[in-house]
Each structure stands twice: as structure tokens, then as C-alpha cells.
Amino acid sequence: MTSTEAEVSRPSRRWLSDLAAGAFHPSLPALLGALLVAVVLFLCCVALLTQDLLAGAGCGYFMADWKDDYAYLTCTVLQAARIESPEPAIALIGASALRESIAGAEYLAGLMTEELGQNFRVLPLTAAGLTHWEASAIADRIAGRVQGVVVLEVSPGKMALPQGFFEDLVRQPRLALDAGAFDEEAHRAGIALPRRTGNFFLDHHGFFSARPWAVLNLVKGPVVPDLHQARTWRVLSEDEWAMAEASLRQRIGGYAENGPRNFEVMGRTIACLREAGGIQVVLLESVRNPRADRIMRDSPECREALTMYEKDVRAHAETWGVPYLDMTAEAELAPGEFIDTSHIWDTDAAKRYTHVLAAHLTALIKNPHTGKEG
Amino acid sequence: MGFPRLLGITLQALVLGTLLFLAVARLVGLESGARIFRYQAF
């Protein structure tokens, strides 16, 4: 190295060693600075993470991964609740069985448009294990904002859910939605609501703290959701099938005790949608693998609960004057087209089911005043 | 305190502050039982 080069490199080396000393050595200023940064980030969240941001930004920014359907559902509901679109909509509110049964929102929208000659938007408001209590919150948010048809999924498993499940949902909500109907249901059930501050981030801190790494989406780009998760699941082994059946039987076993109370919740959800106007409500029976259905009917206790449920759901639909669709047989769904007790994984089967649903919805829309299919 | 040292301290504060915020958020989430729900057939 020449003497001139040495003179040039010495200051830059010193500059770098000073930078490294500041960056890597613990110091009081760095500690205070770190605390300040954390506080500023917290205040930014309090000020910026609002319902409007979730509704306005892409859902993918708030999802932990492509399977994070509760984040996707939260954003989709907030979007639907914010924009009052004149375009008629088909809102599908239900659990993952419904999500997997529909070949795609665009596919269903295309079929409806083809049949009725007008554009439809399909809102897939579905998430794994979505309960009727959460459905009431969704319905409350979209009522008055969506015009068209709201499909509410029902199933014996859902209608058999115990109140303890609702208590857990009130304590640890999976959706970040403020909905009067949900609070009202908690009040009716005698469940104390968590303390509210009126700030969206603070009131739903559980939603955000469950997915802190979603902040990386700002750098990586938004997650692309996929509403067909079952295709990535593996087929259940026979042992797992036995466990799934036992779990189903156990849940349905609680129907006699919990069913009437749960149907009352469903009734209030229908009333809420009706009061808002411009909405036709349809009850849609969740798809069930014929194999699971047969196994349940082979068990005397389960058969009794299922028979009771089938009678109740029809009576409920009659009382509220809403159509009740049970399309598993009509769509000719076979056990091999399911990956487990209730999720379709075969694309053709999902298309078949979507066609049948579209046909029923088309008939209902053509005869809106009767509340019955043409 | 020279500029390079100040820059180093600022970088350290930014990185540690962000990690501290995320760690506290995760801790609050764990403490309150917040989690992302995943479907299980059984």
C-alpha cells in the first residue's frame, strides 16, 4: 500500500470501527433508543391499525400465511361493510366445508351471471370451524351493505356446539370484528364481554398478536389466499378416520341440549339480515361425506340426534320462511370425493356442487317474493 | 460523539426496538392465548 492509500483508508477504517462500536456495543443511548422505537411502533399500531386500514388494504397484508382464513375473512367482511355496492351479491357465510364445496367465487358468479344475465359478486365469507355466533357478527356487519342473497350454512355439528365454546370465542375472538349482534348474543348468554377501549388495535390485540410476523408482508408483499386448502391435506388414515368419527359423534351428542338455543341465535341472525332489507336469506345444509353420514346413522344415539336436527332445521326454515337447501344427494357427492368427514377435495365434485347451488339460487332470485324456489 | 457512532447506535436502537416490540407482542399473544385457528378433523 502506498502512503497516499494508507492516508485514505485510515479515516474510512476508523469511520467503520466507530459505526461498529455504536451498532454492536451495548450502551445506555442504544437501550433508550430501542425502548423509544418500541413505544413508537406501539403508538403507530394504535393510531394506524384501524378498521378502515384493514378494509382498504389488501387482505394478504394481514394474513400470517395463505391458510390464515380468519384474517382473510375479517378483511373481506370489513371491505364488504365499507363499500355499498349496487351490484347484487351472493354472500356465503359458513365453515370450511362450505369453503371447499364451492369451486370458486368467480366460478359461482359466472354461473349466476350466465343464468340471470346480470353481474353478481360472490363473497366467500368462510373460515375453518366458523360458528353461528361468528356468523351473527358477520351478518350484522354486512346487513344493509350487501344486496342480494345471504347463504347461511347450518350443520348438526354447528347446532350442537355448547355454550362453553361461545365463552371461549368471546374471550379469544378469532375475527377482528366489532358487531353489536355478537355482543348482544354474549349478553343474552350471560357472558361478560372483555373491557373495550374503543381503539380497534387495543380491542383486537389478540388478533394482531397472534400474527406479529405478518408485518414482514410489508417487505415480502401480500400473502395470496387460497380458498381450497383441502387439496393440500393428506388423506386420513383409518385410525384418524375413527378419531374423526368419534369427534363428530361426541359433538353431535350435545345436540339435544344445545340445539334449541343455537337455532334461536340463527333466527336472530336471519331477523337482523331481513330488517336491513334487500336480502334473501337461504339456509344451506353443510356437505357431509356419505361415509360419515352412514357411520353416524349406524349409531343409535347419533341417529336420534340427527333425526331431531333434521326435523328442527326444517321447522326452523318454515318458521322463518326461508328456503332450506340440502344438496349432498342432488350433487351426487361420493365418499371418494371427500378428504375427510366433510371436506370435498375433488375439483369436479366442487364444480358439480356449485352448479347445483347456482341453479337453486337462480330459481330463488327469479321468484323473490315467494321465498321459495320456482 | 461522532456521526458514525451515532449512526451505529441508531441502527442498534432500530433493530432492537423492532425486535423488542415484536417479542412483547408475541408474549402478550401467548399470555392471552391468542393463536391462529387451524382446522383439525379430529
Side-chain angles (χ1 to χ4, degrees):
Chain A
M1 185 188 288
T2 65
S3 62
T4 321
E5 280 171 336
E7 276 165 23
V8 171
S9 70
R10 204 173 298 133
S12 65
R13 198 178 296 159
R14 182 156 173 220
W15 198 94
L16 281 173
S17 75
D18 277 358
L19 179 75
F24 298 113
H25 291 177
S27 65
L28 187 63
L31 176 69
L32 294 175
L35 288 173
L36 183 69
V37 167
V39 169
V40 167
L41 285 173
F42 172 73
L43 293 175
C44 283
C45 287
V46 170
L48 300 175
L49 284 176
T50 60
Q51 292 188 69
D52 284 344
L53 182 77
L54 265 74
C59 300
Y61 283 108
F62 302 97
M63 293 170 69
D65 55 48
W66 67 273
K67 290 181 177 178
D68 187 3
D69 47 8
Y70 274 91
Y72 177 77
L73 179 54
T74 295
C75 295
T76 312
V77 171
L78 290 173
Q79 274 168 12
R82 196 173 72 146
I83 307 158
E84 204 168 344
S85 169
E87 203 171 59
I90 307 286
L92 305 165
I93 304 179
S96 51
L98 177 61
R99 181 190 68 205
E100 303 294 336
S101 315
I102 305 299
E106 291 80 20
Y107 190 76
L108 177 58
L111 291 174
M112 298 297 297
T113 305
E114 211 173 276
E115 286 291 324
L116 295 165
Q118 67 175 125
N119 283 337
F120 275 88
R121 63 190 174 118
V122 172
L123 300 168
L125 307 178
T126 55
L130 192 89
T131 64
H132 53 295
W133 296 293
E134 290 162 314
S136 78
I138 295 170
D140 185 25
R141 293 307 305 258
I142 65 166
R145 292 292 183 176
V146 169
Q147 303 286 309
V149 179
V150 172
V151 177
L152 289 174
E153 185 204 45
V154 280
S155 69
K158 192 181 284 191
M159 291 296 106
L161 284 173
Q163 186 146 306
F165 200 97
F166 187 28
E167 283 172 27
D168 290 343
L169 284 179
V170 172
R171 208 172 46 246
Q172 291 165 5
R174 302 184 288 193
L175 292 165
L177 294 177
D178 294 318
F182 186 83
D183 293 355
E184 177 61 29
E185 290 302 337
H187 181 69
R188 279 175 190 273
I191 302 167
L193 289 165
R195 202 153 42 100
R196 300 271 166 79
T197 63
N199 178 276
F200 185 74
F201 173 73
L202 295 177
D203 290 346
H204 298 283
H205 66 82
F207 175 85
F208 294 104
S209 62
R211 29 182 87 71
W213 310 119
V215 74
L216 294 176
N217 295 337
L218 290 171
V219 183
K220 292 191 298 184
V223 171
V224 179
D226 188 338
L227 297 180
H228 293 288
Q229 300 179 13
R231 285 175 202 159
T232 65
W233 299 348
R234 63 180 170 78
V235 180
L236 298 186
S237 67
E238 283 305 309
D239 284 349
E240 287 169 336
W241 246 107
M243 285 194 280
E245 286 159 13
S247 157
L248 205 60
R249 272 200 294 265
Q250 189 190 12
R251 198 200 274 190
I252 289 171
Y255 176 75
E257 187 189 346
N258 304 309
R261 194 172 47 224
N262 290 332
F263 269 117
E264 282 174 18
V265 177
M266 192 62 95
R268 286 190 287 271
T269 304
I270 296 170
C272 165
L273 288 164
R274 283 234 177 109
E275 277 165 26
I279 292 174
Q280 266 187 287
V281 183
V282 174
L283 289 184
L284 176 66
E285 184 62 44
S286 177
V287 290
R288 207 158 51 232
N289 187 336
R291 174 180 168 180
D293 200 56
R294 197 179 54 244
I295 289 166
M296 282 195 296
R297 286 180 201 282
D298 285 346
S299 142
E301 302 83 29
C302 248
R303 190 172 54 239
E304 194 183 328
L306 270 178
T307 309
M308 197 189 297
Y309 164 78
E310 283 163 356
K311 199 172 122 252
D312 290 351
V313 74
R314 285 190 165 82
H316 184 75
E318 192 69 36
T319 305
W320 284 94
V322 292
Y324 167 66
L325 307 176
D326 185 357
M327 313 181 323
T328 304
E330 196 179 346
E332 296 174 346
L333 298 174
E337 293 168 329
F338 287 79
I339 194 155
D340 55 20
T341 52
S342 55
H343 296 90
I344 295 175
W345 74 332
D346 184 88
T347 312
D348 289 336
K351 281 185 178 171
R352 226 164 44 238
Y353 186 84
T354 311
H355 269 275
V356 175
L357 177 63
H360 280 285
L361 295 180
T362 303
L364 284 167
I365 291 167
K366 280 181 179 168
N367 300 283
H369 302 297
T370 60
K372 307 276 179 201
E373 293 172 59
Chain B
M1 193 184 296
F3 174 72
R5 191 170 165 77
L6 203 63
L7 184 66
I9 289 171
T10 307
L11 285 174
Q12 185 186 152
L14 281 172
V15 172
L16 290 184
T18 307
L19 290 176
L20 176 68
F21 173 74
L22 289 174
V24 171
R26 193 75 198 102
L27 207 64
V28 169
L30 286 173
E31 198 274 332
S32 63
R35 65 189 180 90
I36 298 169
F37 180 79
R38 305 287 187 198
Y39 171 79
Q40 265 192 307
F42 48 87

